[in-house]
Amino acid sequence: MSIENIIPEKTIERLSEYRRVLLRLKDNGHTHLFSHTLAAKLGITAVQVRRDLMLIGFSSDTKRGYEIENLIDFIGKVLDDDNIINVGVVGMGKLGQAITRYFSGKRSKLKIVCAFDSDPRKIDAVLDDIKCYDVNTLEQTIKEQSVRMLILCLPSSEARRLMPSIINSGVRGVLNFTSAYLNFPPEIYVEDYDIITLLEKVAYFVKNSKD
Amino acid sequence: MSIENIIPEKTIERLSEYRRVLLRLKDNGHTHLFSHTLAAKLGITAVQVRRDLMLIGFSSDTKRGYEIENLIDFIGKVLDDDNIINVGVVGMGKLGQAITRYFSGKRSKLKIVCAFDSDPRKIDAVLDDIKCYDVNTLEQTIKEQSVRMLILCLPSSEARRLMPSIINSGVRGVLNFTSAYLNFPPEIYVEDYDIITLLEKVAYFVKNSKD
């Protein structure tokens, strides 16, 4: 397994943001926009926008700017899979439930197909049409349901305990909401998303701001 | 108002992570650790750890490594405020409620004191001891309750509409869960935390991984 011709992570993030802006503009009846307009809406430079779009091979009619609908399709070809990606949520506590609900219906190409928990009261329950499985069946259930991506919302110590099952399950991507550093092998892409760290960061800048 | 002697954002993030690791080790009875041990637990280099700690002026007994309790206190002096920072949550939908619940009791120096929503059924309700106010009273309520930091969990368009009230309210930090780019003046520190962008990023690497 190898990752080839990969676009830098930061560019991928920005492409996702570009698309969000473009979809909104399209909904409002716009058909074209210039790189500097897109840049201003995201607080970055026009050079950055042009560099990112050059990287994915998109070129524009410079007189009227980028054609919005074209660019949306183009970004979609880079970001989206032709097939739906099945997603599993591990840990159906408050955060897991909120993410599941927040998520449902938001992205047609990503689909939460199952959830996991260790609490007997949650196992076999159905939340927003998603069935919750015993976390001890994780490896098997992921294989059966062809899950390719996991969202981890369980306690850090639990996440560490589950690592071997996650690795063996064959998933390829993990969005890690726990505060644990999970040292997965390189074939599993991990994005850490720790709320407490960011809260402490904002708090640091708040306490150092002077009125 | 100015921000002086500020430590780089990435160092602040890592200090928060170091502390989390150190607290866990302390709980398990450890008293000392080396930079390379700390580094390995976070998947970074020992040089990075030493550089960060040098930056905050912490030096160690190199024979036995860093003294854990000392280092926890030292990081606390950098990250934590002497006073509690009052926090407000704007938008009490599924995500806002989850964050409020997830948050409560997690950080003694940060305290959610109020929430805001536009839904008449939520206004004046109390969730986990936190009262929900009419979002139209945001500026006034923030001032009355000495809120210094906001967590935004409302729809993007709503967030944009509220920007003038947020700016006038005097808050100094914003954790932005909406997908809107909010162009606040420099005295307000903003951390963007958009779930959809990260999901799309993980999905991109999932679809480009080959089995």
Side-chain angles (χ1 to χ4, degrees), chain A residues 1 3 6-10 12-13 148-150 171-176 182 184-192, chain B residues 198-207 209:
Chain A
M1 180 266 167
I3 294 179
I6 237 57
I7 295 168
E9 290 187 23
K10 286 290 161 194
I12 294 299
E13 274 183 28
R148 291 166 70 200
M149 182 169 156
L150 287 180
V171 289
R172 288 295 179 227
V174 168
L175 187 54
N176 177 24
L182 304 172
F184 283 111
E187 64 266 27
I188 300 182
Y189 179 83
V190 182
E191 186 73 33
D192 291 308
Chain B
L198 288 193
L199 278 170
E200 292 196 334
K201 194 169 149 190
V202 177
Y204 170 79
F205 288 99
V206 166
K207 99 172 160 109
S209 75

Side-chain angles (χ1 to χ4, degrees), chain A residues 1-10 12-17 19-20 24 39-44 76-82 85 87 94-95 98-99 101-104 106-107 110 128 148-151 156 160 170 172-175 177-181 183 187 189-211, chain B residues 1-10 12-17 19-20 24 39-44 76-82 85 87 94-95 98-99 101-104 106-107 110 128 148-151 156 160 170 172-175 177-181 183 187 189-211:
Chain A
M1 180 266 167
S2 69
I3 294 179
E4 291 163 333
N5 300 325
I6 237 57
I7 295 168
E9 290 187 23
K10 286 290 161 194
I12 294 299
E13 274 183 28
R14 283 190 297 266
L15 288 173
S16 168
E17 290 165 0
R19 176 161 65 176
R20 209 126 14 92
R24 208 155 49 216
K41 285 185 183 294
L42 292 162
I44 58 176
K77 272 176 202 138
V78 176
L79 292 186
D80 302 335
D81 204 349
D82 291 335
I85 293 179
V87 178
K94 287 156 190 168
L95 190 64
I99 288 165
R101 286 188 186 138
Y102 179 75
F103 192 94
S104 56
K106 281 247 161 115
R107 275 295 170 277
L110 297 175
D128 289 331
R148 291 166 70 200
M149 182 169 156
L150 287 180
I151 301 177
S156 303
R160 256 182 239 106
R172 288 295 179 227
V174 168
L175 187 54
F177 277 92
T178 80
S179 56
Y181 166 70
N183 193 12
E187 64 266 27
Y189 179 83
V190 182
E191 186 73 33
D192 291 308
Y193 201 65
D194 175 29
I195 296 182
I196 296 296
T197 299
L198 288 193
L199 278 170
E200 292 196 334
K201 195 169 147 189
V202 176
Y204 170 79
F205 288 100
V206 166
K207 100 173 160 108
N208 283 286
S209 76
K210 293 178 185 65
D211 295 291
Chain B
M1 178 265 169
S2 70
I3 295 179
E4 292 163 333
N5 300 324
I6 237 58
I7 296 167
E9 291 189 23
K10 285 291 161 193
I12 294 298
E13 274 183 28
R14 283 190 297 266
L15 288 173
S16 168
E17 290 165 0
R19 177 161 64 176
R20 211 127 12 93
R24 208 154 50 217
K41 285 186 184 293
L42 292 163
I44 58 176
K77 271 176 204 139
V78 176
L79 291 186
D80 301 335
D81 204 348
D82 291 334
I85 293 179
V87 179
K94 288 155 188 170
L95 191 63
I99 287 166
R101 286 188 186 138
Y102 179 75
F103 192 94
S104 56
K106 280 245 162 119
R107 274 294 170 278
L110 297 175
D128 288 333
R148 292 166 69 200
M149 181 170 157
L150 287 181
I151 302 177
S156 304
R160 256 182 239 103
R172 289 296 180 226
V174 168
L175 188 53
F177 277 92
T178 81
S179 57
Y181 166 70
N183 194 13
E187 64 266 27
Y189 180 82
V190 182
E191 186 73 33
D192 291 308
Y193 200 65
D194 175 28
I195 297 183
I196 296 296
T197 299
L198 288 193
L199 278 170
E200 292 196 334
K201 194 169 149 190
V202 177
Y204 170 79
F205 288 99
V206 166
K207 99 172 160 109
N208 283 286
S209 75
K210 292 179 185 65
D211 295 291

Side-chain angles (χ1 to χ4, degrees), chain B residues 37-56:
Chain B
T37 317
L38 185 52
K41 285 186 184 293
L42 292 163
I44 58 176
T45 66
V47 172
Q48 182 69 73
V49 171
R50 289 196 294 267
R51 211 177 275 161
D52 287 337
L53 298 187
M54 215 184 296
L55 207 61
I56 61 169

Side-chain angles (χ1 to χ4, degrees), chain A:
Chain A
M1 180 266 167
S2 69
I3 294 179
E4 291 163 333
N5 300 325
I6 237 57
I7 295 168
E9 290 187 23
K10 286 290 161 194
T11 297
I12 294 299
E13 274 183 28
R14 283 190 297 266
L15 288 173
S16 168
E17 290 165 0
Y18 296 160
R19 176 161 65 176
R20 209 126 14 92
V21 171
L22 293 165
L23 285 169
R24 208 155 49 216
L25 289 171
K26 189 188 154 202
D27 283 349
N28 293 335
H30 296 271
T31 59
H32 291 76
L33 101 167
F34 290 103
S35 56
H36 60 86
T37 317
L38 185 52
K41 285 185 183 294
L42 292 162
I44 58 176
T45 66
V47 172
Q48 183 69 72
V49 170
R50 290 196 294 268
R51 210 178 276 161
D52 287 337
L53 298 186
M54 215 184 293
L55 208 60
I56 61 169
F58 186 82
S59 57
S60 77
D61 169 8
T62 49
K63 280 192 194 144
R64 301 184 62 198
Y66 302 125
E67 215 198 304
I68 290 175
E69 201 156 343
N70 254 359
L71 184 48
I72 291 171
D73 289 348
F74 210 94
I75 292 175
K77 272 176 202 138
V78 176
L79 292 186
D80 302 335
D81 204 349
D82 291 335
N83 307 309
I84 283 168
I85 293 179
N86 288 345
V87 178
V89 178
V90 188
M92 283 304 262
K94 287 156 190 168
L95 190 64
Q97 289 187 33
I99 288 165
T100 307
R101 286 188 186 138
Y102 179 75
F103 192 94
S104 56
K106 281 247 161 115
R107 275 295 170 277
S108 55
K109 295 289 186 179
L110 297 175
K111 187 169 190 276
I112 297 183
V113 293
C114 57
F116 299 94
D117 207 287
S118 58
D119 183 342
R121 288 166 300 180
K122 287 178 188 159
I123 294 167
D124 291 333
V126 174
L127 178 87
D128 289 331
D129 292 333
I130 293 148
K131 191 178 164 188
C132 185
Y133 294 85
D134 186 340
V135 78
N136 291 315
T137 71
L138 185 120
E139 188 180 330
Q140 190 196 335
T141 308
I142 286 177
K143 284 176 180 166
E144 282 169 6
Q145 310 240 354
S146 307
V147 168
R148 291 166 70 200
M149 182 169 156
L150 287 180
I151 301 177
L152 303 185
C153 322
L154 68 172
S156 303
S157 54
E158 279 284 290
R160 256 182 239 106
R161 190 180 68 79
L162 285 176
M163 280 188 68
S165 321
I166 294 173
I167 292 168
N168 291 333
S169 73
V171 289
R172 288 295 179 227
V174 168
L175 187 54
N176 177 24
F177 277 92
T178 80
S179 56
Y181 166 70
L182 304 172
N183 193 12
F184 283 111
E187 64 266 27
I188 300 182
Y189 179 83
V190 182
E191 186 73 33
D192 291 308
Y193 201 65
D194 175 29
I195 296 182
I196 296 296
T197 299
L198 288 193
L199 278 170
E200 292 196 334
K201 195 169 147 189
V202 176
Y204 170 79
F205 288 100
V206 166
K207 100 173 160 108
N208 283 286
S209 76
K210 293 178 185 65
D211 295 291

Side-chain angles (χ1 to χ4, degrees), chain A residues 98, chain B residues 90-99 116-117 122 127 153-154:
Chain B
V90 188
M92 283 305 262
K94 288 155 188 170
L95 191 63
Q97 288 187 32
I99 287 166
F116 299 93
D117 207 284
K122 286 176 187 160
L127 178 86
C153 321
L154 68 172

